[in-house]
Amino acid sequence: MDAAIDFETAWDAFARRDRAFDGRFVVAVRTTGIYCKPSCAARRPRREHVDFLADSSAARAAGYRACRRCLPDSVARDRAAVIRAATLLDAAEPPALTMLAAAVDYAPHHFHRLFRRLTGVTPAALARTLRADRAAEALRRGDGVTAAIYKAGYGAPSRFYAEAARLGMTPRAFAEGGAGETIGWTVLPAPPGALLLARTARGWCRFAFEAGADDVVALFPAATLLAEDAATRAHAERLVARAAATDGDASLPLPLRRLAFRALLHELAAHD
Ligand SMILES: [Zn+2]
């Protein structure tokens, strides 16, 4: 089992059928010889009849059979499909849902729900964030606004400008290191790690994990920077609290969790 999970934590998660722990361990029941996901709907066995094991293969090696009700072996497959889909979405022309689901061998509607449950966002929202990251990176490299738009995969400038609000300033100001902007920033704890949030009067211009002053100074050398600005912090606390409430599955790889969390922040900020 995941070294971070002790028997008490595992038992509590199992007792409340917590889906967030699916994929982090399996529950082997000695009296029936069956293993389950923590969220299995079946009646709870007595505590002394339960073993918590790392995964399905450990349970099978110990002679247990998979529960036919909760299908514990599907957890690893679901997670692998979501991870693979996330890599496919990082393309100038990311696949639409039907193609994406077909590529990982799931039905579209089911896969959409699964993706959202594990990451906290839709495939389209993740693709938007990947595209915006590519555009921001191109602007930062000095590619110029028009080149950045096409390199990132927007296809048409109108699509880029419709989403440019997530730069928190005009693309030109962003390319010029935040020239003319006043940017407040703060760092807060979030479920996937310490998160830097920065904003202008127009909106958020940077979400980055494990980042601090160096990051903001490097990205916005021409802006007036306000470290730990109180108004920014109050905004940031509200936004992070809302995102934390719909965060995805903690068993996903950390880079994907962080990417998905940033996508979630952008989605929430856009509908603020
Ligand atoms: Zn079960």
Side-chain angles (χ1 to χ4, degrees), residues 16-216:
R16 63 174 187 269
R17 298 183 167 83
D18 191 339
R19 295 185 85 141
F21 283 81
D22 288 352
R24 300 184 69 189
F25 61 85
V26 298
V27 188
V29 184
R30 280 185 233 124
T31 42
T32 58
I34 282 172
Y35 66 94
C36 287
K37 301 199 278 205
S39 69
C40 182
R43 196 170 59 83
R44 282 341 187 209
R46 294 169 63 90
R47 186 182 165 110
E48 58 270 30
H49 294 154
V50 159
D51 266 329
F52 297 114
L53 302 172
D55 52 27
S56 294
S57 43
R60 283 193 301 271
Y64 291 94
R65 285 180 299 113
C67 171
R68 283 191 217 166
R69 186 160 177 184
C70 66
L71 304 174
D73 297 351
S74 71
V75 178
R77 178 175 175 254
D78 287 353
R79 194 171 39 189
V82 165
I83 293 168
R84 166 111 180 94
T87 66
L88 295 175
L89 289 170
D90 192 8
E93 288 178 38
L97 176 63
T98 322
M99 297 292 293
L100 186 67
V104 293
D105 210 14
Y106 280 72
H109 180 68
H110 174 66
F111 186 66
H112 192 263
R113 273 208 330 250
L114 169 68
F115 191 95
R116 187 163 199 168
R117 179 162 61 77
L118 292 194
T119 65
V121 292
T122 63
L126 199 80
R128 276 195 292 277
T129 289
L130 286 162
R131 189 167 56 188
D133 282 358
R134 289 193 301 273
E137 184 51 35
L139 289 172
R140 176 182 196 162
R141 276 197 312 260
D143 285 358
V145 176
T146 307
I149 290 171
Y150 287 101
K151 277 188 191 169
Y154 282 96
S158 56
R159 290 182 63 196
F160 171 68
Y161 285 102
E163 290 173 24
R166 56 170 77 203
L167 292 174
M169 62 192 77
T170 65
R172 181 160 304 282
F174 191 92
E176 289 170 359
E181 302 290 338
T182 298
I183 298 173
W185 64 274
T186 187
V187 174
L188 291 178
L195 173 67
L196 175 143
L197 305 94
R199 64 179 286 133
T200 67
R202 290 167 61 167
W204 298 104
C205 57
R206 178 73 169 163
F207 300 129
F209 284 96
E210 306 298 338
D214 292 357
D215 179 84
V216 200

